[in-house]
Amino acid sequence: MTYNFNEIEAKWQKYWAENQTFKAENTSDKPKYYVLDMFPYPSGAGLHVGHPLGYIASDIYARYKRHKGFNVLHPQGYDSFGLPAEQYAIQTGQHPAITTETNIATYRKQLDKIGFSFDWSREVRTSNPEYYKWTQWIFIQLFESWYNNNTNKAEHIDTLIAKFSSEGNTNINAVCDDNVISFTADEWNNFSSEKQQEILLQYRLTYLAETEVNWCPALGTVLANDEIVNGVSERGGHPVIRKKMTQWSMRISAYAERLLQGLDTIDWTDSLKESQRNWIGKSVGASVTFNVKNHDETIEVFTTRPDTIFGVSFMTLAPEHELVTKITTPEQKADIDAYIQATAKRSERDRMADVKTISGVFTGAYAEHPFTKEPIPIWIGDYVLAGYGTGAVMAVPCGDQRDYDFAKHFNIDIPNIFEGVDISQEAFADKDNTIITNSDFLNGMNYKKATKRAIFELEQIGQGEGKTNYRLRDAVFSRQRYWGEPFPVYYVNGMPQMIEQKHLPITLPDVEKYLPTESGEPPLGRADVWAWDTQSNQVVSNDKIDDKTVFPLELNTMPGWAGSSWYFFRYMEEQANRGNTFASEEALQYWENVDLYIGGSEHATGHLLYARFWTKFLKDRNFVGVDEPFKKLINQGMILGTSAIVYRVAGTNKYVSSGLKNDYEVEELRVDVNMVNASDEIDIEKLKQWQPQFADAEFELEDGKYIVGREVEKMSKRWFNVVNPDNICEQYGADSLRLYEMFLGPLEQAKPWNTAGITGVHGFLKKLWKLYHQGEDVNLKNDPNFYLHDPKKDGVYSAFKAVKRGIGLPDVEPTKDNLKTLHKTIKKVEEDIENFSFNTSVSTFMIAVNELTTQKCTSKAVLEPLLVLLSPYAPHITEELWSQLGNTQSIATAPFPKFEEKHLVESSKNYPISFNGKMRFTLELPLDMSKDDIEKTVMAHEKTQEQLQGRTPKKVIVVPGKIVNIVG
RNA sequence: GCUGAAGUGGUGGAAUUGGUAGACACGUUGGACUUAAAAUCCAAUGGCCAUUAUGGCCGUGCGGGUUCAAGUCCCGCCUUCAGUACCA
């Protein structure tokens, strides 16, 4: 009976599906545990071996937790809205819904082959109208909320309206637009409806505003900050420019402090928390108001160093600052205009590329120092960013290197306000060793004291206050795309109106072309049926728009992160009960939040931040009961591809083997890795068929082989280094794939894939199989019965073999060695799983199986628990052996074996003895020996050694040190 | 520049609180079994030296330090990867 993994795996995958083995229940006596993967975007390329890494890890943990007696929720779904499907639609004209459907089917098929314990009955797809109905609903809730700084949470907009009409807005402490006007209750009540809506929009948690956005002409869409890498789009690497557009935004800045504080309550890696902290970018300091001389204007700046206020010798405004045109003197106007134009032309990328070049222009205007009343020249310079703080800085050249460089470059005065510090070469930015001087009332103070005093004095004269600034910007929520959630919004006189919940979902309309226009007109602008009828409450044809009862609908769609910001709540509800809520109160209360979340670190400042934001919002409005969505988070590392390279002699059609490449001038070409064997030898026949250019090529071999070069890089179709998990499952089985992916190295680390190594774990599984089918070796050829059976009929043959060597060996009492091996393994595997070091437990299994094989262990009391330990890693083979041992229930329900220390206890142990740190001899001592006896024994041996080695040891230590130390 | 992580054989990687560095696996070499191949099994495998045998010396990026004892702790460097960046 051989280990037929294909048969076994298909059998048990079918069994699990039919018996709904992994279906989670929303009520249970057991404690709950929620294990979640970041759901995949189903691309057309399908899965490669890198994708399932995190899923395997989470699956091991989920299965382990089931053995440990938890009610485990382990769902899976698809993040199915997004750009690639739309790009494909643009190219082929195929509706993205259709390609998405096809891709999902492929993904599902591939995932099923790996034997995950997903509860598919809870699947979600973000592009499914029944799902995005609730994404739209959450959007409406955000629209109907404002952030109350006094209660420090979001509240329904009605409570704000009530306050407005009873007391106006002067005493309201809310997160809102900077430009909001002050009004009394009377004024509010007399405002027109439009005016009221306009004001409320400045308070809502999602709002419509003219914002400067990152516009990517090539993609025809707006990108969020986290979708831009080095000034170009993350996807495709297209240039990005700044552009003003009316967009929906999310007031995530209201949650900046809570998003920061919340990090202390969750179990994430330090590096990930640190990225979020940096992204939120809290800085504590002061805002200072400078009056502009000869103008009725003020400039507000943010500074983290109010203690250096007397060191200000100039101010710099961002070129985009609105005051620039107002204060520039006629003499300077030409220069300023030229500079502004030049800056506007430069892309974000150019601006970042030459950080070194110092540029700027004097406006001709002067501000007035709040304390000394001295004139301060006002400059503009592109080192000041319009998007951070107030877009203006008070420049303290002696304390800030950029200000210093700027001052040096333009010969501006550099007053020194630091005692005993030389600033002739560079600025002095060390806060901790600062004593302020030349600064009036701040003289002699350190950083801390001076800061406090400076803020106090600024407040006294009404020209500043302590302020905390965050780098976190409000998130733009509009995309000029087709394949995304439509907004549940229509416009009356230009003011957005929400469609009532009972009329949701608003489904995507059909359009002729999916391409956005260069000018930024969204694809939904092409839809003929895309207007809202407030009478019939349905979407109707555009030509019915009459501005009385039929109104235009929003043309933008939501960004990719909309659907992924709450999907983990959707899984909590079983599909059958999802009708009336996004998840029922009972389900939300039971499952609370995700206990373990596994996914890539690339989502650190995108998805993970937005999901935390929405969760906090939903909690504020009492829709969910938790403040943080993901208690523990692990980032799995990427699995890299190992590309294969052939070397073509330049200008010829001759290819030389890797070892000979230095003899020629060669070009490197990447070829399909699947044609290369474990020893880097390529199959030339396959290569010739692979691409026509190789068909009649000449090959120069070494030792009769063509050896390829290797390069480790990202797994990608364009490098021909993609390894398909289906092929691995076919050839070695899913259990081998699962074990091998874990065996490759630590989960969180990036590592290259190398198919050759899989024979190690595959061999282990074969050995395991043998261990459970051991017995006397029977020479079938000499067995007369052999000829009674038809060896070609596998069933008969196998049955014969099974009787002779089968699993039905007599059960015997386990030996001490058997139990030691087992309990050693239990201990290690349990520790490993709890620490997510799955790679080392694979080794532990290998050792255990080798030991038990040597021990010829046939005891059920050892073989059964061993299967349970291994079952999270290799679920198929363990199910099969488990059932062969006579169990009728799935192994998934078996309890995790209990570790017993007593089986590891030994009567004596070899202790190495060290002399001056060098190991000289070992001593076998009973474990329960007293300290005195040990000392005596050691001294005796010391004497012997002294004679043997002819030298006197100074100190003798018996290790392990915690047992005894003898110093003498 | 800042933040985070990491440097161990030919390779992936192990190594409890500091306690026999290199587990386990790949690869390589040799052997067994085969007409042969595959599969399987056995042995060797950090470097250098020595050998009849026991063995000896050097070794965890570099330079110091603490300690009876350092891959592990401390100080100072170097390198790599990841994230972030005129953030006032």
Side-chain angles (χ1 to χ4, degrees), chain A residues 825-872:
Chain A
T825 311
I826 296 172
K827 188 172 185 230
K828 185 70 167 55
V829 170
E830 189 166 355
E831 279 169 9
D832 283 347
I833 297 182
E834 294 287 358
N835 297 325
F836 299 93
S837 46
F838 301 122
N839 55 327
T840 49
S841 36
V842 178
S843 300
T844 308
F845 287 124
M846 292 182 178
I847 295 166
V849 167
N850 281 340
E851 284 182 9
L852 292 175
T853 303
T854 313
Q855 294 163 17
K856 295 201 195 309
C857 173
T858 59
S859 170
K860 255 193 177 182
V862 170
L863 295 181
E864 282 201 344
L866 183 73
L867 286 181
V868 180
L869 292 182
L870 181 59
S871 113

Side-chain angles (χ1 to χ4, degrees), chain A residues 645-647 656-659 679-682 700-702 705-709:
Chain A
I645 298 165
V646 294
Y647 303 92
V656 297
S657 185
S658 172
S679 330
D680 294 349
E681 182 191 355
I682 197 164
E700 188 173 336
L701 311 176
E702 45 183 332
K705 294 171 182 172
Y706 191 98
I707 305 296
V708 296

Side-chain angles (χ1 to χ4, degrees), chain A residues 883-934:
Chain A
S883 92
Q884 287 187 17
L885 284 172
N887 294 289
T888 49
Q889 293 279 311
S890 164
I891 195 171
T893 58
F896 199 80
K898 224 175 139 60
F899 168 66
E900 288 173 43
E901 183 82 44
K902 65 179 183 199
H903 297 294
L904 299 193
V905 172
E906 298 162 273
S907 60
S908 66
K909 193 171 176 180
N910 275 324
Y911 292 107
I913 310 292
S914 66
F915 280 62
N916 295 337
K918 302 270 182 186
M919 218 58 72
R920 294 301 177 192
F921 58 94
T922 62
L923 205 52
E924 189 166 322
L925 302 172
L927 276 185
D928 53 0
M929 202 177 198
S930 75
K931 197 176 165 178
D932 286 350
D933 287 343
I934 292 174

Side-chain angles (χ1 to χ4, degrees), chain A residues 280-319:
Chain A
I280 295 165
K282 180 180 182 175
S283 37
V284 180
S287 75
V288 185
T289 309
F290 287 80
N291 295 318
V292 182
K293 289 207 181 235
N294 307 322
H295 283 272
D296 194 18
E297 300 283 355
T298 59
I299 299 172
E300 202 189 322
V301 302
F302 174 77
T303 178
T304 53
R305 298 292 302 274
D307 58 315
T308 63
I309 184 110
F310 287 95
V312 175
S313 65
F314 62 100
M315 299 187 74
T316 316
L317 307 184

